[in-house]
Amino acid sequence: MERVAIVGAQWGDEGKGKVVNYFSGNYEWIVRFSGGANAGHTIYYKGKKYVNHLLPSIIPEGDSKAFLGAGMVIDIEQLIKELEILEADFPGVSSKIYIDLEAFLVLPYHKEEDGILEELRKNPIGTTRKGIGPAYTDKVSREGFKIYHLFDEKLLRERLEEVMYLKKNIYKERFNFTSEEIFNYLMEQKRKLEKLNVKFTSAIDMAQVFRNTSVLFEGAQGVLLDLDFGTYPFVTSGATMAHGVSSVGFSTFELDEVLGVLKAYTTRVGEGPFPTEEFSEIGEKIRKFGNEFGATTGRPRRVGWLDLPALRYAKLRSGLTKFVITKADVLNGFDEIKVCVAYDVNGEIKEIPSSSYDFFVGKPVYETLKGWPDTNHVNFLKYMAFIEEKTGIEISHISYGPKTEEMCTKNDLIKNI
Ligand code: IMP
């Protein structure tokens, strides 16, 4: 039974949603293993655009089912919004959605805390303000709430009393939520979810099912935003790499493939190091052609050239085995394309950053390649061959537009040239 993880190989926004959606028809289960509503996975289905922040990128009318794993932090109000949009077009789709009882909740005060912290920080991270950091912080400091708390009103009430007491004493007058208010809010959301016929289960209950069928694990954000190995502290608060599948009871050794989705250039939203960032009008052009504005926040994305040291780092950190390249069409028409092949780290030339620190101090060393008029041109093949040779990873597929069907294998592309 095939098990594949799809992760972002850069700083997120590589187009994972579309790639997952493209492959999802081949898998029984699409499993999201981390992150929350900070993600924005855009899919086009039957001519309509859907932006999912929490829902795995399943084909709404297909046979595959979706699982939201324990590594996630779930804003159920947002989840309900996404389900209601899908339900309006595809009645009954919610019955294909399963949620792990061990997943954590993002509560209204987490979003407020996210904003408060960003405003107090001398160097803001540029978070999405979706409450991700505070929800994961509460998980680690043991003040979090799990999905299962929704189903035990007595336990929920007791716990809310305890946690609200702590919060009030920490945040003082900045914290204006009462346990009664949060309790009522959660009961209302639970009722709505139950009405939608979503299933609540656990990776333990699903273990036999998952082990006997094909599973596609959908990552969120990108390797360089990983809490442990991204460009800390300018990272998200969860696991963005393939090891996140452990929260669903799998080891990375059980994966047949780890597909790294890479954009033909690099983008990032929020603050933090970005060695190949392009501030010139070329950067502006790429942002415009690539419509590089955040799917979650609408913020303009920072834009730069492809960064091979970063991809090599992503390969080693996350065990990438293949690449899918997206948005190559955005670079159509450029005479020359620059590619960063190494970093100059205080005089030492490094092809692979030794640690995430090198992203802060490394200066890009570039090579220049010839551009292409369209992706059916030999120069684009040379660009891909260059990436493959320099990273040691094969590119299996090329995405050349936002629609799910705008994707082909590299071999198909070669045949057409
Ligand atoms: P947070 O995840 O909202 O705490 O944001 C932390 C950092 O991760 C910020 O720089 C965000 O812009 C970035 N980030 C979070 N989610 C995504 C995503 O899905 N795509 C790209 N960047 C993201």
Side-chain angles (χ1 to χ4, degrees):
M1 288 301 158
E2 206 188 15
R3 287 179 209 124
V4 168
I6 296 187
V7 300
Q10 296 155 319
W11 276 285
D13 304 323
E14 299 91 351
K16 290 175 297 297
K18 179 234 162 111
V19 174
V20 171
N21 195 236
Y22 175 85
F23 288 112
S24 63
N26 306 331
Y27 296 86
E28 287 271 326
W29 285 90
I30 314 301
V31 172
R32 221 174 110 194
F33 56 85
S34 76
N38 48 350
H41 293 174
T42 306
I43 59 167
Y44 288 82
Y45 187 69
K46 292 196 167 167
K48 200 166 162 185
K49 180 177 172 183
Y50 298 90
V51 184
N52 290 334
H53 300 278
L54 287 158
L55 279 178
S57 308
I58 53 168
I59 302 170
E61 291 175 307
D63 292 331
S64 32
K65 295 186 258 316
F67 185 73
L68 283 76
M72 290 186 71
V73 284
I74 300 176
D75 173 349
I76 46 178
E77 194 178 341
Q78 171 61 33
L79 181 65
I80 290 164
K81 273 190 208 149
E82 290 173 30
L83 285 169
E84 283 174 349
I85 290 172
L86 275 190
E87 275 290 332
D89 292 342
F90 312 102
V93 65
S94 308
S95 62
K96 296 196 286 187
I97 311 297
Y98 293 61
I99 305 178
D100 196 321
L101 291 161
E102 301 274 14
F104 281 83
L105 293 169
V106 172
L107 294 168
Y109 53 80
H110 289 134
K111 289 181 250 182
E112 287 225 0
E113 285 174 24
D114 205 349
I116 293 172
L117 286 167
E118 278 290 85
E119 264 137 47
L120 289 176
R121 279 184 184 118
K122 193 160 164 245
N123 293 302
I125 292 163
T127 74
T128 58
R129 301 193 178 211
K130 300 291 177 191
I132 307 303
Y136 277 117
T137 301
D138 276 0
K139 166 179 172 170
V140 175
S141 69
R142 291 148 296 179
E143 269 79 64
F145 287 85
K146 292 196 176 202
I147 294 281
Y148 69 64
H149 284 108
L150 297 173
F151 300 99
D152 185 333
E153 293 187 18
K154 185 167 170 286
L155 180 67
L156 178 63
R157 274 190 194 282
E158 279 168 16
R159 192 155 170 76
L160 275 169
E161 291 292 331
E162 193 182 335
V163 174
M164 294 303 103
Y165 172 79
L166 280 176
K167 296 262 175 202
K168 272 198 197 324
N169 278 288
I170 294 166
Y171 284 98
K172 309 270 185 236
E173 70 281 358
R174 284 181 191 269
F175 192 84
N176 294 312
F177 295 89
T178 64
S179 45
E180 193 57 25
E181 204 180 327
I182 301 291
F183 179 84
N184 292 336
Y185 165 83
L186 285 175
M187 288 302 106
E188 191 194 332
Q189 304 305 322
K190 184 184 87 164
R191 269 194 299 279
K192 286 188 184 168
L193 268 184
E194 283 177 333
K195 231 166 143 186
L196 282 163
N197 208 12
V198 168
K199 314 232 176 8
F200 299 93
T201 176
S202 76
I204 293 279
D205 286 343
M206 300 300 289
Q208 280 312 316
V209 176
F210 288 153
R211 287 208 138 56
N212 290 315
T213 187
S214 50
V215 184
L216 194 162
F217 294 97
E218 176 175 5
Q221 292 84 42
V223 170
L224 300 169
L225 284 173
D226 183 74
L227 175 63
D228 288 309
F229 298 117
T231 47
Y232 190 90
F234 303 101
V235 292
T236 189
S237 300
T240 65
M241 307 198 297
H243 72 279
V245 302
S246 63
S247 66
V248 193
F250 285 88
S251 139
T252 45
F253 294 112
E254 295 176 276
L255 299 175
D256 298 296
E257 209 74 85
V258 181
L259 285 188
V261 183
L262 74 95
K263 215 178 256 188
Y265 45 97
T266 312
T267 60
R268 115 165 259 178
V269 266
E271 303 307 315
F274 184 172
T276 63
E277 184 163 14
E278 196 48 57
F279 299 98
S280 69
E281 59 185 32
I282 291 182
E284 196 49 56
K285 226 166 145 180
I286 298 175
R287 177 163 33 249
K288 197 168 145 223
F289 292 170
N291 191 25
E292 293 297 352
F293 297 89
T296 300
T297 58
R299 289 179 291 177
R301 293 180 184 139
R302 297 158 66 194
V303 171
W305 297 111
L306 191 69
D307 183 336
L308 295 178
L311 290 180
R312 294 183 190 111
Y313 180 87
K315 170 189 167 183
L316 292 176
R317 286 287 190 212
S318 193
L320 307 182
T321 57
K322 287 226 172 85
F323 280 140
V324 174
I325 187 166
T326 63
K327 294 187 109 169
D329 52 306
V330 171
L331 297 183
N332 288 354
F334 282 87
D335 291 337
E336 291 184 332
I337 307 281
K338 286 197 331 183
V339 182
C340 169
V341 292
Y343 289 167
D344 178 335
V345 180
N346 301 324
E348 185 187 346
I349 301 299
K350 289 190 179 182
E351 290 196 342
I352 306 172
S354 308
S355 75
S356 54
Y357 171 72
D358 287 349
F359 291 100
F360 288 83
V361 285
K363 301 271 174 291
V365 178
Y366 286 110
E367 279 190 29
T368 303
L369 274 67
K370 286 199 180 119
W372 50 85
D374 60 71
T375 48
N376 286 319
H377 192 271
V378 67
N379 285 353
F380 176 57
L381 282 190
K382 286 185 182 166
Y383 185 68
M384 288 197 293
F386 189 76
I387 297 170
E388 292 181 321
E389 187 206 322
K390 299 281 181 186
T391 58
I393 301 190
E394 191 195 333
I395 295 172
S396 66
H397 288 74
I398 295 114
S399 156
Y400 49 86
K403 301 208 179 85
T404 303
E405 60 275 16
E406 289 174 316
M407 182 128 144
C408 65
T409 64
K410 193 179 64 196
N411 291 339
D412 282 342
L413 188 89
I414 293 170
K415 270 190 239 150
N416 289 333
I417 290 181

